[in-house]
Amino acid sequence: MSPNRLDIGRILSTPVPMLLPDNGPVHVLVVGEAPGPRGADKSGVPFFGDAAGRHLYAALQRLGAVVLPPELDNLPWDGAAFTAAGLAPVAHGVALGNAYDRCPSDDGQSFRAPIRSELESARNFTRLNRDLDQLSRCGLRGIVTLGRVATRTFDTLFKQQPRPALACRALPHPSAQGLLSMAPDRGKGAKMVDLQEAWMARCAYTVIEAGYPAPHQDAV
């Protein structure tokens, strides 16, 4: 990892590639919006250190789809801290990526959401199609998108280049806003820890529904 990844005072906006298994098939691709400024922008690994990634990795770990270093228990959930410690997750049967592959920023200091023209640009769609072609050769069965932006981007991509063999499933983003959106009465009276647990259970179910072998089946 480049030493520049430790520069926590600025947004790097360097491309973050997919997290892939070292070997074996890839059953499901899980896709978020873009690398976060304190997470994947610093760790170079999708969702690793991003606020949303904590719940995603926990859900995938329950399935045996990822293995997290035990040293994480002694560190803040922070991409720069993970890079400094030389830590990274290991994927099994899943790939993790983003609809936009770099942390968006206009000044290198402040994060902004990726805009639609960036997400649906020829460059970005070429990248996404290239990644999907690679994963299809590894046995890809389905895609799980997290949040409205990732879902809309892949819906538009598949209108241009359909991939009918892939199962497509969408989940709310595991941010506080996304968690509240999936709760009855917009989460009124609910505890955030309960909403997080419900999201993780739903995430695990959706990843299986998209094509990941259920835990009782043969492991990857």
Side-chain angles (χ1 to χ4, degrees), residues 32-214:
E33 179 179 313
R38 294 192 59 183
D41 184 62
K42 302 301 186 296
S43 69
V45 180
F47 300 101
F48 199 48
D50 291 335
R54 183 188 293 271
H55 309 304
L56 173 62
Y57 277 110
L60 295 177
Q61 191 170 34
R62 294 177 185 179
L63 288 177
V66 298
V67 175
L68 295 175
E71 295 89 343
L72 291 185
D73 294 339
N74 301 317
L75 291 172
W77 185 260
D78 179 86
F82 298 160
T83 297
L87 302 177
V90 177
H92 295 284
V94 296
L96 304 183
N98 281 292
Y100 195 64
D101 65 346
R102 59 200 72 194
C103 183
S105 176
D106 292 323
D107 58 6
Q109 299 295 326
S110 302
F111 170 83
R112 63 165 174 80
I115 59 178
R116 193 160 186 170
S117 61
E118 292 171 327
L119 289 157
E120 299 179 10
S121 67
R123 182 204 69 81
N124 197 50
F125 274 8
T126 296
R127 175 188 68 86
L128 292 174
N129 278 314
R130 183 184 65 242
D131 288 348
L132 290 172
D133 288 342
Q134 176 186 354
L135 295 176
S136 293
R137 293 191 292 270
C138 298
L140 185 68
R141 300 174 181 174
I143 298 173
V144 176
T145 53
L146 305 184
R148 292 184 295 106
V149 171
T151 300
R152 183 193 66 203
T153 300
F154 273 79
D155 284 347
T156 303
L157 179 70
F158 291 150
K159 287 178 182 177
Q160 293 186 10
Q161 185 169 332
R163 295 177 184 264
L166 294 180
C168 297
R169 301 291 185 268
L171 278 173
H173 195 275
S175 63
Q177 182 178 0
L179 294 173
L180 291 170
S181 73
M182 62 178 272
D185 297 326
R186 302 286 296 179
K188 184 178 180 180
K191 295 181 179 179
M192 188 58 65
V193 65
D194 294 333
L195 297 178
Q196 291 165 350
E197 182 62 36
W199 186 91
M200 287 187 285
R202 183 170 171 181
C203 178
Y205 174 82
T206 303
V207 171
I208 292 172
E209 191 179 42
Y212 190 82

